[in-house]
Amino acid sequence: MKATRVVSKILSNYEGETPGVKGKLCSILMNGKLGGTGKMIILPVDQGFEHGPARSFAPNPEGYDPHYHYQLAIDAGMSAYAAPLGPLEAGADTFAGQIPTILKVNSSNSLMSGTAGKDQAITASVDDALRLGCAAIGFTVYPGSDCALGMFEEIVEMRKEAAAKGIASVIWSYPRGEGITKEGETAVDVAAYAAHIAALLGAHIIKVKLSTDHLMLPEAKKVYEDENIDIASQAARVADCVKSSFNGRRLIVFSGGAKKGADSVYDDARAIRDGGGNGSIIGRNSFQRPREDALEMLGKLVDIYKGKA
């Protein structure tokens, strides 16, 4: 498989990385219907851990079966499929080599008390990713949590081990916790800060949420206003996160969030495309729909990222 010029240019931004890591990034960037374009759509299915089985899969009961998600990602031409250890193991043999996979190595759950710190348990290892043939590990950090420093230290060590074994790292960077207001979780200054933190931690692919035009941090708000940083549109806010990801030298994808209307999903994708983002990592907005509806929607997203819609 020969890398396109676009993909080769992206890989050249990862100057300190091993050939193994670059090879795994290339496998993701060259896979599926967006292969070679520099854009990606990744199917993540870790919501069962985060939200519980009924909230995640009852809207489309086929989703209780991990094989369903493997097959959906393959048939839709996704760039990769991301999930915790159990779901990947459940289909690792049947679907071996058919799609790049990302092992989510830490997870939270909805059964903790409200007084518990915002944190995630490490639930898998780099060796698990190696054993399952994964292209990358995925790790969530919570900037703004009192537990954030520990999470940063955990991913630094796991990323170092993964890179040494030729596996890439994807960092989910989700601001939340004691230092962040609810509105601030998606504030544009906080989202850009979260993207930058992930880049500083060594993420090869950064995952953040789409942001609003709210500015939470007083000192940052002053700079945004003094420097006339454009945050009026979703595309402009995406561009701000891209700039914060080493001025576009790191791949950045944006989460789809809770299930919503298809037109809203398409509008988000156009904003990501127009703002210079590398794509979507879209879970509930795909697997909670009936299979045919999901395939139709994901196909439209591919067209949007190709500039055809």
Side-chain angles (χ1 to χ4, degrees):
M1 177 177 60
K2 184 178 179 180
T4 62
R5 288 186 179 181
V6 171
V7 170
S8 295
K9 175 64 172 63
I10 290 171
L11 295 176
S12 73
N13 290 328
Y14 295 82
E15 297 184 29
E17 288 309 330
T18 64
V21 167
K22 287 191 174 185
K24 291 298 195 295
L25 289 174
C26 187
S27 72
I28 295 172
L29 288 164
M30 291 300 297
N31 191 72
K33 294 179 180 179
L34 287 171
T37 65
K39 303 297 184 184
M40 300 178 287
I41 304 176
I42 298 170
L43 175 68
V45 190
D46 57 341
Q47 291 81 359
F49 231 134
E50 307 290 329
H51 306 298
R55 286 174 61 192
S56 300
F57 306 123
N60 178 23
E62 290 184 278
Y64 282 101
D65 186 346
H67 279 218
Y68 175 82
H69 302 291
Y70 267 105
Q71 197 65 60
L72 177 64
I74 292 165
D75 292 347
M78 298 291 92
S79 306
Y81 165 51
L85 180 63
L88 287 191
E89 284 191 329
D93 185 57
T94 299
F95 300 99
Q98 296 185 48
I99 187 168
T101 53
I102 299 167
L103 174 61
K104 187 68 167 57
V105 295
N106 70 340
S107 294
S108 65
N109 65 85
S110 298
L111 299 176
M112 302 289 287
S113 73
T115 59
K118 297 298 183 184
D119 200 358
Q120 296 214 352
I122 294 177
T123 55
S125 68
V126 173
D127 280 343
D128 286 324
L130 198 63
R131 171 174 59 86
L132 294 171
C134 297
I137 59 168
F139 192 99
T140 295
V141 296
Y142 291 146
S145 167
D146 287 352
C147 301
L149 298 184
M151 301 179 87
F152 296 167
E153 291 171 356
E154 288 169 347
I155 183 52
V156 165
E157 290 304 311
M158 291 193 79
R159 179 208 174 282
K160 185 189 302 181
E161 180 186 356
K165 295 177 177 178
I167 294 173
S169 294
V170 184
I171 295 182
W172 278 237
S173 195
Y174 284 176
R176 66 182 57 171
E178 294 80 359
I180 304 289
T181 64
K182 188 63 180 177
E183 192 177 20
E185 290 181 5
T186 53
V188 62
D189 58 325
V190 176
Y193 201 166
H196 192 63
I197 285 172
L200 293 171
L201 289 170
H204 301 110
I205 301 174
I206 297 162
K207 178 190 177 188
V208 294
K209 294 181 179 181
L210 287 167
S211 59
T212 67
D213 61 1
H214 177 61
L215 293 163
M216 189 194 88
L217 303 167
E219 292 302 318
K221 181 177 181 179
K222 185 175 186 303
V223 174
Y224 273 79
E225 292 172 349
D226 289 349
E227 300 300 328
N228 294 313
I229 299 173
D230 182 11
I231 57 170
S233 67
Q234 188 65 264
R237 297 191 291 274
V238 166
D240 191 50
C241 284
V242 171
K243 190 186 303 179
S244 297
S245 303
F246 294 167
N247 207 26
R249 286 183 177 271
R250 292 295 176 266
L251 293 159
I252 181 168
V253 294
F254 294 81
S255 64
K259 186 179 176 183
K260 53 194 171 188
D263 287 343
S264 294
V265 176
Y266 301 148
D267 288 343
D268 286 348
R270 292 186 185 97
I272 295 166
R273 178 197 65 195
D274 296 345
N278 296 101
S280 301
I281 181 161
I282 182 165
R284 284 171 287 175
N285 275 293
S286 55
F287 68 71
Q288 287 188 344
R289 284 175 161 79
R291 175 181 160 83
E292 290 307 313
D293 292 349
L295 289 172
E296 180 182 356
M297 188 192 72
L298 292 168
K300 178 73 174 291
L301 291 176
V302 167
D303 287 343
I304 287 171
Y305 281 120
K306 287 183 174 180
K308 296 180 179 179

